[in-house]
Amino acid sequence: MEKKKLITGIVTGIVGLALVGTVAYLYVNLDNQKKENKAMQELAELDKKEMENEYQQFATQYSEMKTQISNDSIIAQLTAEQEKTERLLKELKDTKSNDAREIARLKRELATVRAVLRSYVIEIDSLNRLNQNLTAENSRIKGQYNEATRQIEGLNSERASLSEKVAIAAQLDATGISMQLKNKKGKKTDKTSKCKTVQVNFTIAKNVTASNGTKTFYVRITSPSGTTLSGGGTFNYQNRSLEATMRKAVEYDGRETTISTFWNVSQSLMAGTYQVSVFADGNMIGSRSFSFK
């Protein structure tokens, strides 16, 4: 009888210890999940705010351009594009930052708005150049030197304003972002435990208004726990210094360019969702999340 009680006591103790261990594991796991969710939410809020700022900038640029031309047809087109931009801005403001599908749709719309604005900047700049040449020629023929001088000064002022708008239109776009885990044989794997190298690929879209030359692209990978995979140095973004996972200097000539970056695993990777963001010229030019086992 006493032996039976002893066995029962031992079993009860083992079960109790198992329950205590399970509770402790669940508590630690819940705390890590909260940290992960907070980090991803902060990055999503930052991304959404930057998108709102860009939409507002583009709407303002359309409004300003309408005051610098007299072509009724182009003014009507600019008005339509401005109204579309303001509508998309309102949709973005009404969208929660954790609505990934809607945010992705509005980010694609933002890229379209930027491309359309770019085309109008180029078109209006060409019209202004043509007007300047015609005005100068007409002035020489009629001998109205003073009037021609005032018109040329006005066009120079408009061109200076348009140069500021070209800077906005010249912002690069990173598309087709992908993240792959490679094992020690260099083959693709979905398991973080077997990962030895992380490869991130992306394509810089064609941009004829962007300045040519050597550009440094920074890739920042945030782990499920909210920490940044380090190794790529630091860069400036919105008046603060951020840590990069990888960086690569590329000679950019305005044409579509595909870029690959690699990061050798120097720390244990956990399963979960990783956020990949690409930066260049002080701007976030693309972002996407990936989940691994």
Side-chain angles (χ1 to χ4, degrees), residues 74-120:
I74 295 180
I75 289 177
Q77 295 173 36
L78 292 175
T79 299
E81 292 298 333
Q82 180 184 355
E83 292 174 351
K84 176 184 176 181
T85 302
E86 291 172 344
R87 173 177 57 79
L88 291 171
L89 173 59
K90 184 179 184 304
E91 291 179 13
L92 179 59
K93 288 182 176 180
D94 294 339
T95 300
K96 294 182 178 180
S97 60
N98 60 1
D99 189 345
R101 178 174 296 180
E102 187 64 6
I103 291 294
R105 180 185 73 82
L106 291 169
K107 184 169 289 187
R108 290 193 298 271
E109 291 284 358
L110 180 61
T112 301
V113 170
R114 184 184 296 114
V116 172
L117 174 63
R118 222 178 261 144
S119 67
Y120 278 115

Side-chain angles (χ1 to χ4, degrees), residues 84-276:
K84 176 184 176 181
T85 302
E86 291 172 344
R87 173 177 57 79
L88 291 171
L89 173 59
K90 184 179 184 304
E91 291 179 13
L92 179 59
K93 288 182 176 180
D94 294 339
T95 300
K96 294 182 178 180
S97 60
N98 60 1
D99 189 345
R101 178 174 296 180
E102 187 64 6
I103 291 294
R105 180 185 73 82
L106 291 169
K107 184 169 289 187
R108 290 193 298 271
E109 291 284 358
L110 180 61
T112 301
V113 170
R114 184 184 296 114
V116 172
L117 174 63
R118 222 178 261 144
S119 67
Y120 278 115
V121 168
I122 296 172
E123 180 180 357
I124 293 174
D125 187 55
S126 297
L127 287 175
N128 283 333
R129 289 176 183 274
L130 178 61
N131 287 338
Q132 181 183 15
N133 293 335
L134 291 175
T135 299
E137 181 180 356
N138 185 59
S139 298
R140 286 192 298 269
I141 294 173
K142 294 181 178 181
Q144 299 174 346
Y145 176 79
N146 293 333
E147 180 63 20
T149 300
R150 288 194 293 271
Q151 291 183 14
I152 291 172
E153 289 175 348
L155 289 172
N156 285 339
S157 176
E158 290 178 10
R159 186 181 297 108
S161 177
L162 284 172
S163 294
E164 296 178 2
K165 298 174 180 61
V166 169
I168 295 177
Q171 180 175 320
L172 301 176
D173 289 320
T175 62
I177 300 174
S178 67
M179 176 179 176
Q180 297 178 356
L181 306 184
K182 300 292 185 69
N183 60 23
K184 61 182 180 180
K185 295 182 179 181
K187 294 184 178 180
K188 183 178 178 181
T189 178
D190 290 331
K191 296 182 179 180
T192 55
S193 60
K194 294 184 177 181
C195 177
K196 298 299 180 184
T197 304
V198 176
Q199 179 176 347
V200 173
N201 301 324
F202 55 91
T203 298
I204 303 302
K206 178 181 178 181
N207 189 333
V208 296
T209 61
S211 61
N212 294 344
T214 303
K215 292 183 179 293
T216 301
F217 296 89
Y218 296 92
V219 177
R220 178 180 167 93
I221 303 177
T222 305
S223 70
S225 65
T227 60
T228 300
L229 304 186
S230 60
T234 60
F235 61 95
N236 293 324
Y237 176 65
Q238 294 191 346
N239 298 321
R240 60 177 177 155
S241 179
L242 295 182
E243 192 172 16
T245 306
M246 298 168 276
R247 66 179 178 184
K248 189 168 186 178
V250 175
E251 192 69 24
Y252 183 69
D253 59 4
R255 292 180 294 182
E256 183 176 275
T257 305
T258 299
I259 299 174
S260 297
T261 58
F262 300 87
W263 182 76
N264 294 326
V265 176
S266 58
Q267 60 193 75
S268 178
L269 298 181
M270 64 178 67
T273 300
Y274 288 76
Q275 186 74 27
V276 178

